[in-house]
């Protein structure tokens, strides 16, 4: 049994705390903290930012470590669960359970070339040089053989320096590519932050995070409408079945229904046109099935 695994088992026998690794810095840190807060699992001492701290409301201990190290720590059993980027899990080839997709840190691993390059497809990269900090994913996902140029950062500058013909790097808005005179030729992997870990011990914690992630994807919609317009309104919010509540005013009902956050701006004018009034849209705190 690996020393790390023994360490975890003895830690577990000392206490029943679930040990969860969270990124200590970088762009996943603050959204990960916010998710824990929203799940009621902020630090026991508010504002606590030590490298390890117990959480409120559940036997969870948070350990702050580098996002890139988290897949290995989870795989080796140093911690029970971890929040990190799917790209990092895949690059490390970690054999870990993916428990929840967390809805932040979304990005794509794209291949890109200089704007004036004739290259349009992955296949045309065959035999060329590619700079990346994701060598394993390039080998696994790019359908042709390339010569890798290992860099540790500032990948986007490599083509202009003449170090490589192309890059494979994470992209979210595409601004960094544009600023560096680069053009994406396609996506190798879609990534976002994920909770990874031990299915068995991590299940209750995963459920707490899932309830927040699901809630964030929805809004609770309340409106009043003439009873005669109910069918039109029900059609707009389907497949969800709304609650219909009678109001003191005859012929008028209140309609309550959960809708996807992404649909709200499309729904609002359509509901108004269908005769809805006093429309309220409120955030949802937790959602469990
Ligand atoms: P950092 O610690 O700031 O380097 O965070 C890196 C992680 O943030 C990556 O492994 C991705 O999972 C995620 N991420 C989301 N968008 C981007 C982006 N545009 N560039 C780099 N990382 C991103």
């Amino acid at each position: 049994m690996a020393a790390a695994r023994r360490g975890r088992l003895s830690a577990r026998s000392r206490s029943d705390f679930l040990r969860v690794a969270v990124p200590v810095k970088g762009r996943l840190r603050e959204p990960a903290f916010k998710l824990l807060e929203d799940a009621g699992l902020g630090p026991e001492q508010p504002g606590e930012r030590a490298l390890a701290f117990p959480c409120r409301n559940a036997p969870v201990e948070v350990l702050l470590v580098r996002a890139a190290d988290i897949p290995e720590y989870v795989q080796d059993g140093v911690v029970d669960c971890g929040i990190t980027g799917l790209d990092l899990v895949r690059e490390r080839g970690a054999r870990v359970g993916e428990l929840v997709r967390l809805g932040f840190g979304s990005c794509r691993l794209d291949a890109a070339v200089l704007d004036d390059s004739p290259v349009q497809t992955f296949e045309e990269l065959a035999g060329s040089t590619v700079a990346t900090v994701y060598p394993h994913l390039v080998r696994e996902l790019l359908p042709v053989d390339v010569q890798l140029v290992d860099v540790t950062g500032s990948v986007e500058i490599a083509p202009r320096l003449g170090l490589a013909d192309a890059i494979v790097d994470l992209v979210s808005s595409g601004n960094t590519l544009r600023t560096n005179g680069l053009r994406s030729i396609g996506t190798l992997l879609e990534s976002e932050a994920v909770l990874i870990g031990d299915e068995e011990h991590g299940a209750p914690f995963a459920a707490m995070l899932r309830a927040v992630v699901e809630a964030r994807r929805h809004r609770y919609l309340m409106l009043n409408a003439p009873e005669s317009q109910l069918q039109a309104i029900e059609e707009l919010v389907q497949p969800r079945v709304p609650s219909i509540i009678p109001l003191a005013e005859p012929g008028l009902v209140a309609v309550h229904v959960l809708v996807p956050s992404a649909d709200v701006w499309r729904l609002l004018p359509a509901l108004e046109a269908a005769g809805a009034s006093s429309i309220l849209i409120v955030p949802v705190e937790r959602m469990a099935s």
Side-chain angles (χ1 to χ4, degrees), residues 23 25-29 66-68 84-89 104-108 134 156 169-174 176 191-194:
K25 59 187 170 84
R27 64 181 84 210
L28 299 182
R29 174 192 155 108
R66 286 184 47 216
T84 189
L86 180 64
D87 50 292
L88 296 170
V89 179
F104 61 86
S106 301
C107 54
R108 312 181 312 265
Y134 291 88
E156 316 81 28
D169 202 15
L170 295 178
V171 178
S172 34
S173 65
T176 312
S191 180
E192 69 180 285
V194 285

Side-chain angles (χ1 to χ4, degrees), residues 124-270:
E124 290 167 68
L125 286 178
S128 53
T129 48
V130 175
T132 189
V133 292
Y134 291 88
H136 292 108
L137 284 177
V138 174
R139 292 257 177 261
E140 183 189 331
L141 302 172
L142 203 64
V144 289
D145 273 340
V146 293
Q147 210 181 319
L148 288 180
V149 179
D150 275 343
V151 286
T152 52
S154 303
V155 181
E156 316 81 28
I157 201 77
R160 270 205 293 192
L161 292 178
L163 282 173
D165 304 313
I167 66 163
V168 168
D169 202 15
L170 295 178
V171 178
S172 34
S173 65
N175 277 339
T176 312
L177 287 189
R178 272 191 293 281
T179 313
N180 287 286
L182 296 165
R183 164 172 59 79
S184 171
I185 58 165
T187 297
L188 294 174
L189 179 78
E190 305 266 359
S191 180
E192 69 180 285
V194 285
L195 176 71
I196 52 172
D198 179 337
E199 300 266 353
E200 200 190 323
H201 294 111
F205 177 70
M208 292 168 99
L209 298 197
R210 198 177 292 115
V212 174
V213 173
E214 269 306 297
R216 286 175 175 176
R217 294 191 176 123
H218 292 84
R219 296 289 181 270
Y220 195 66
L221 177 71
M222 296 183 273
L223 57 87
N224 293 345
E227 225 167 342
S228 58
Q229 287 302 101
L230 259 184
Q231 200 188 334
I233 288 172
E234 280 175 7
E235 273 168 23
L236 284 173
V237 299
Q238 67 180 354
R240 292 272 176 187
V241 182
S243 308
I244 313 291
I245 303 147
L247 292 177
E249 199 173 319
L252 207 60
V253 289
V255 177
H256 290 194
V257 67
L258 206 59
V259 294
S261 317
D263 289 355
V264 165
W265 294 114
R266 181 185 59 77
L267 274 174
L268 271 182

